[in-house]
Amino acid sequence: MTAFVLALLIGLLALTGLSLDGGLALASKVRAGGQAESAARAGAQALDLATYRANGAVRLDPGRARELAQQYLASVGATGTVQVAGDTVTVEVTATYRTQLLSLVGIEAIQTHGRGAAHPQRGVTGIEP
């Protein structure tokens, strides 16, 4: 009877660990994705104003876009990479979730990743349905 209870307890603890840490790791992944998307949007605000004023073309200032995206990541405590290609800012965020219960079986951390991309848009000219 004791071996059965012990096996049942270990199984229940493992299931609880998977549920708890799996859910929190998923939340960490969603957070990383949101941070990446927000950083990309921040970078996409870095318009090349001289070009815009000269001929109305919407283009990014790549250096400033990279800087704004990195500043956003730093402000939320995230780390990631920023790439600017053409008129698109792409950000990839990597986060480490430290496990609560799975650390008891040797899984100390789970790596999560998020990716976001944005490009500048001209303002809305009319109401869309």
Side-chain angles (χ1 to χ4, degrees), residues 23-88:
L24 291 174
L26 182 60
S28 176
K29 180 176 178 56
V30 169
R31 185 178 318 108
Q35 291 169 339
E37 290 171 359
S38 293
R41 284 191 296 270
Q45 295 179 29
L47 295 180
D48 182 349
L49 293 178
T51 301
Y52 182 72
R53 288 177 181 147
N55 59 17
V58 177
R59 291 192 188 136
L60 285 177
D61 175 354
R64 182 79 176 129
R66 191 174 293 106
E67 180 184 342
L68 286 175
Q70 289 289 1
Q71 284 177 357
Y72 179 84
L73 290 176
S75 74
V76 296
T79 57
T81 60
V82 178
Q83 295 178 350
V84 180
D87 69 341
T88 302

Side-chain angles (χ1 to χ4, degrees), residues 65-114:
R66 191 174 293 106
E67 180 184 342
L68 286 175
Q70 289 289 1
Q71 284 177 357
Y72 179 84
L73 290 176
S75 74
V76 296
T79 57
T81 60
V82 178
Q83 295 178 350
V84 180
D87 69 341
T88 302
V89 179
T90 304
V91 179
E92 293 192 26
V93 172
T94 302
T96 302
Y97 166 68
R98 301 274 175 215
T99 58
Q100 306 292 315
L101 292 176
L102 289 179
S103 61
L104 298 173
V105 294
I107 301 173
E108 298 292 328
I110 298 172
Q111 294 288 323
T112 58
H113 306 278

Side-chain angles (χ1 to χ4, degrees), residues 1-15:
M1 184 73 167
T2 304
F4 174 74
V5 171
L6 183 61
L8 187 62
L9 183 61
I10 290 173
L12 190 59
L13 185 60
L15 187 60

